[in-house]
Amino acid sequence: GASNSFPLIQNIVSAQLTLPLEIIDFKQHCPLDPDLAKEGMGEKISFASGVGFLLKDAKRINLIPSLEKKARADRRLRRTVTQFVSLLVGSLVLVGLIFGNALHRQHQKLLFLQERLQALEPKALEIGTMQRQIVFFENREAESEVVLEILRELSRLTPEETSLTYLAIESDRLSLRGGAKNLPTVFRFTKALESSPFLKSVRMKNATRRILSEGEMTIFRIDALVVQKEERKL
């Protein structure tokens, strides 16, 4: 046994059995592993325990039954799988919450913008109407300017012996009718109109000689295209 129990053993053996007793310190004959030979180790442990400390290279022996080891391995596997699934589900839920929160914010923002657009719709319609009116008046102003220019050209180019009885000016077309003293006068008038920067594609549609109360006249019709202001700049 341990040295701490030697006095009790000595009393029992010597006093009662009257046998001689010799105490041997096993550390003197069986040195312990340096890592285990602590101070006072021999007084606290028995020789059998000291022999165990001498077996430095002993292998560990697992005495757990194979079924229990398999059951423990299965439990560890289930615990690992459960932890992995829980972590995966938690991650998916977290991602879903983040995505859902972002989607909700975008939806709220879209609703806010829709409300703003609905509130601004009457003003937008009013502005659109004003813009159309402005464009209309600008076009009318441009057309009026073109009409005035064409009227000046006709006043300048129409021969004295020619009278105009009908004049129609649209946005891009001109049609006029009248009477002239003779056919050559109509030809000169047509040629003069072709030289105008405000007209193009001038064509004499027809010219007919008629006898009227004031004498013989050539009745004619001339059509042309109006040169737009942008084309004249080019």
Side-chain angles (χ1 to χ4, degrees):
S3 299
N4 292 338
S5 60
F6 283 173
L8 178 60
I9 296 173
Q10 184 175 5
N11 292 334
I12 294 174
V13 174
S14 300
Q16 298 183 16
L17 301 179
T18 64
L19 295 175
L21 177 65
E22 182 180 0
I23 298 175
I24 301 174
D25 189 355
F26 69 88
K27 292 190 299 181
Q28 297 178 1
H29 303 280
C30 301
L32 296 174
D33 187 282
D35 296 331
L36 299 176
K38 297 180 180 180
E39 182 178 357
M41 184 70 72
E43 289 78 14
K44 299 178 181 179
I45 64 175
S46 65
F47 174 74
S49 300
V51 172
F53 289 140
L54 297 176
L55 301 176
K56 298 185 296 182
D57 299 330
K59 296 182 180 180
R60 298 183 60 184
I61 300 174
N62 192 346
L63 300 179
I64 300 175
S66 58
L67 292 178
E68 178 63 20
K69 288 191 289 185
K70 185 177 183 304
R72 292 184 180 183
D74 293 340
R75 287 195 293 271
R76 286 195 298 269
L77 179 60
R78 285 195 297 269
R79 186 166 53 250
T80 303
V81 172
T82 302
Q83 292 175 351
F84 174 76
V85 172
S86 301
L87 181 61
L88 180 61
V89 171
S91 301
L92 293 177
V93 171
L94 180 61
V95 172
L97 290 175
I98 295 174
F99 180 76
N101 190 24
L103 187 62
H104 177 70
R105 289 198 302 269
Q106 293 297 327
H107 180 67
Q108 293 298 324
K109 187 176 181 180
L110 180 60
L111 292 178
F112 173 76
L113 292 177
Q114 288 177 348
E115 293 177 357
R116 293 291 298 168
L117 288 176
Q118 291 177 355
L120 295 175
E121 185 176 359
K123 293 185 178 180
L125 293 175
E126 182 180 354
I127 293 174
T129 302
M130 294 175 62
Q131 287 179 340
R132 288 191 294 271
Q133 292 176 348
I134 291 173
V135 172
F136 173 79
F137 287 120
E138 287 179 348
N139 293 337
R140 297 288 81 77
E141 182 180 1
E143 291 177 0
S144 300
E145 183 179 353
V146 171
V147 170
L148 291 176
E149 292 174 347
I150 292 176
L151 290 177
R152 292 194 199 98
E153 283 292 284
L154 292 177
S155 175
R156 182 176 65 86
L157 299 175
T158 303
E160 294 181 0
E161 60 272 20
T162 303
S163 61
L164 299 179
T165 60
Y166 174 83
L167 174 63
I169 302 176
E170 298 180 2
S171 59
D172 59 346
R173 294 182 181 277
L174 176 141
S175 179
L176 56 86
R177 299 172 189 172
K181 184 177 181 180
N182 49 45
L183 188 58
T185 302
V186 179
F187 284 140
R188 287 198 304 272
F189 184 38
T190 305
K191 197 70 173 177
L193 293 176
E194 290 178 352
S195 64
S196 172
F198 302 101
L199 300 174
K200 63 182 180 179
S201 302
V202 180
R203 292 181 299 171
M204 185 175 63
K205 299 291 290 187
N206 54 54
T208 306
R209 291 177 61 83
R210 294 183 182 178
I211 298 176
L212 305 176
S213 58
E214 59 269 17
E216 187 176 305
M217 295 285 292
T218 300
I219 306 301
F220 63 86
R221 174 184 171 184
I222 297 176
D223 292 340
L225 297 178
V226 177
V227 177
Q228 301 300 317
K229 191 173 183 179
E230 296 80 7
E231 297 181 33
R232 293 199 298 273
K233 289 182 179 180
L234 294 177

